[in-house]
Amino acid sequence: MPPPHRVISQSLLFVTPLKPRFVPRHSLFRYRMASTANFGLKESSLLHTQGFIDGRWVDAKDGGVIKVTNPATAEELGTVPEMGLAETKEAIDAASKAFKTWSKTTVKQRHDILKKLFALMQEHQDDLARLITLENGKPLAEAKGEHNYSASFIEWFAEEAVRTYGEVIPSPFPHLRNVVIKQPIGVVSILTPWNFPSAMITRKLGAALAAGCTAVIKPPPETPFSALALVELATRAGVPPGVINVVTTQANVNDVGREMCQNTAVKKVSFTGSTPVAKMLYGLAATTLKKVSIEAGGNAPFIVFDDADIDAAVEGAIACKFRGTGQTCVCANRIYVQSSVYADFASRLAEKVAAFKVGNGLDKDTTHGPLIHDRAIEKVQRHVEDALSKGAQLVHGGKRLPGPGSFFAPTVLSDVPPDALVNQEETFGPLAALTRFETEEEVVRMANDTPVGLAGYFFSRDVGRVWRVAEALEVGMVGTNTGLISQAVIPFGGIKESGLGREGGHGIEEYMNTKFIAFGGL
């Protein structure tokens, strides 16, 4: 990952903020009218340009706002409030008050509300996908895929709500009975990235609501509208005031993040973003020994063995490396290809990449959209130039594309040395860097030679090798003969410096306390 002052990963927390983009209070109405007109939604009431605290849509107390930009056009979409410490404390207080009643609702009540939210998300899927494309840039087809992924978490956790079982433990003593129950942990702080504006919200919020927790959400300043639309639908589904609160911020992110981690009313912090930021938040949360879930940066290896189905491996690499224009935490970052199939794989991959159509995500022919901002382009360019300076060969792409927006040509490099920057840190962009290897032992060693361990992938038709390599890779998740692993039902998470805890399939446990009760005198 880049050093903190250059972080361009999934969060801008605790890094040098962008120059605050304030708009005078008297200009707010004009900006909000413009933003509503520019989105083209079927139902304009899904678009909100205010934060949400204790059931009310609110502005920042000082009237400051953040401009939100379409990365495909560099045009302003609209504004959201530049909130600060005071608003964050209000949101936490509201969540703390609401927890007293929300935590007492039955699992059936929470199940029913989440099922209503899932139905509303499906009813408005076109508008929700359009919001994702406008603020994030990904093609509309991919945005619809994210929406379905996002909704699947709500559906999954609706059913998980009624499966929060306790336990009876046989007692060694005749007059004692041992019972274990699960209880919601309390107020949860949720801090999410811009690369999945909707799904990263629901993967955390769905679990929290199902468990009986209340939440304060800090969405990224680049993509706040998807989060606010989800809150609108949650309110319609019957989520009471104070259960969900949203604080939007950019310039005040240090104060807001610190309060969300250190406020004693908060009992749990869930974060997805870069490893440097994750470490800072972990340290802050440790001051009150809060429960923490972290999904931090990755540096995923993608291995092609000589017995692989090369066509399938190429398709897997395309899906794994270039989804979201390379801006996902589980993207293939280091592509290792065995020597005997190296040339064949490289040529087929380059041919596929050359056929990509890069452009505005709303254009039907677009296959790949922009990067989130120009700082992301600078990092990809730095990785390309570093690799070329160390002997790599440019096969395709390698440069910024002309015109407005933050577009970088999908790029393939061959003969990339192990010490190139792209093999040392997460690129978070459309750069496929190919490195040659000879033996299974060699590639496993190279794949594990990193401080992070989120996901890893490999293609092989040897069942013995599949087991050996899957067990040997030092990652939390492995894809064998597939480049797509994300599902609501799996325990999503990493090892080493890629994080703590799991989300998705086992995620509800992260939002509950386990309580033991001994019944004596029987």
Side-chain angles (χ1 to χ4, degrees), residues 12 115 349 458-459:
L12 290 177
K115 290 292 281 187
L349 179 66
F458 67 93
F459 278 71

Side-chain angles (χ1 to χ4, degrees), residues 129-454:
R130 186 178 179 87
L131 280 176
I132 293 170
T133 293
L134 285 168
E135 62 183 356
N136 170 274
K138 64 182 64 175
L140 191 57
E142 194 170 325
K144 290 179 179 179
E146 180 187 338
H147 164 77
N148 289 331
Y149 182 45
S150 177
S152 74
F153 285 111
I154 299 300
E155 182 182 37
W156 171 259
F157 285 115
E159 302 301 337
E160 284 287 271
V162 299
R163 293 195 288 261
T164 51
Y165 304 124
E167 184 181 7
V168 175
I169 301 174
S171 171
F173 307 109
H175 304 298
L176 195 69
R177 300 294 182 269
N178 298 323
V179 175
V180 175
I181 64 172
K182 301 294 180 67
Q183 294 180 305
I185 196 167
V187 178
V188 178
S189 288
I190 295 175
L191 304 100
T192 61
W194 47 258
N195 57 340
F196 288 90
S198 179
M200 293 302 96
I201 298 283
T202 58
R203 191 162 74 183
K204 302 171 188 295
L205 182 63
L209 296 181
C213 299
T214 57
V216 177
I217 303 169
K218 189 210 79 65
E222 296 91 346
T223 59
F225 296 121
S226 291
L228 297 170
L230 289 173
V231 171
E232 169 65 30
L233 294 182
T235 301
R236 297 183 194 181
V239 176
V243 173
I244 305 174
N245 305 272
V246 179
V247 175
T248 55
T249 190
Q250 183 176 55
N252 299 320
V253 66
N254 285 4
D255 291 339
V256 170
R258 185 173 292 106
E259 186 68 18
M260 291 179 73
C261 289
Q262 292 187 323
N263 190 300
T264 56
V266 174
K267 304 304 180 185
K268 155 88 177 179
V269 177
S270 182
F271 169 75
T272 297
S274 73
T275 296
V277 175
K279 292 178 179 179
M280 295 179 201
L281 295 176
Y282 193 20
L284 291 172
T287 61
T288 51
L289 289 181
K290 298 186 194 315
K291 194 170 185 177
V292 175
S293 295
I294 292 173
E295 190 256 285
N299 187 6
F302 185 100
I303 304 168
V304 182
F305 288 101
D306 56 8
D307 62 343
D309 179 330
I310 299 302
D311 285 333
V314 169
E315 292 300 327
I318 293 294
C320 184
K321 171 68 256 185
F322 291 101
R323 182 167 63 111
T325 313
Q327 300 173 113
T328 82
C329 55
V330 292
C331 270
N333 200 63
R334 300 168 290 154
I335 302 179
Y336 299 113
V337 186
Q338 203 154 15
S339 290
S340 60
V341 295
Y342 186 91
D344 188 20
F345 177 87
S347 63
R348 295 194 207 185
L349 179 66
E351 182 180 0
K352 292 282 188 179
V353 172
F356 290 172
K357 303 295 183 184
V358 179
N360 190 316
L362 294 179
D363 296 338
K364 63 181 179 62
D365 294 331
T366 293
T367 61
H368 293 77
L371 296 179
I372 191 66
H373 43 50
D374 284 356
R375 297 187 309 286
I377 286 182
E378 292 169 6
K379 186 179 185 185
V380 178
Q381 189 71 63
R382 188 167 70 253
H383 278 195
V384 170
E385 292 172 356
D386 172 79
L388 293 176
S389 73
K390 294 174 179 175
Q393 301 298 310
L394 179 62
V395 180
H396 182 80
K399 60 184 179 181
R400 179 173 186 154
L401 296 176
S406 299
F407 293 97
F408 195 92
T411 299
V412 179
L413 298 178
S414 66
D415 301 318
V416 178
D419 64 344
L421 275 177
V422 65
N423 283 330
Q424 303 301 315
E425 61 184 29
E426 192 175 36
T427 301
F428 235 63
L431 169 58
L434 278 56
T435 299
R436 195 185 308 262
F437 75 92
E438 300 296 337
T439 68
E440 179 181 315
E441 293 75 17
E442 176 195 13
V443 76
V444 168
R445 177 184 55 77
M446 289 194 296
N448 290 338
D449 187 20
T450 177
V452 295
L454 186 57

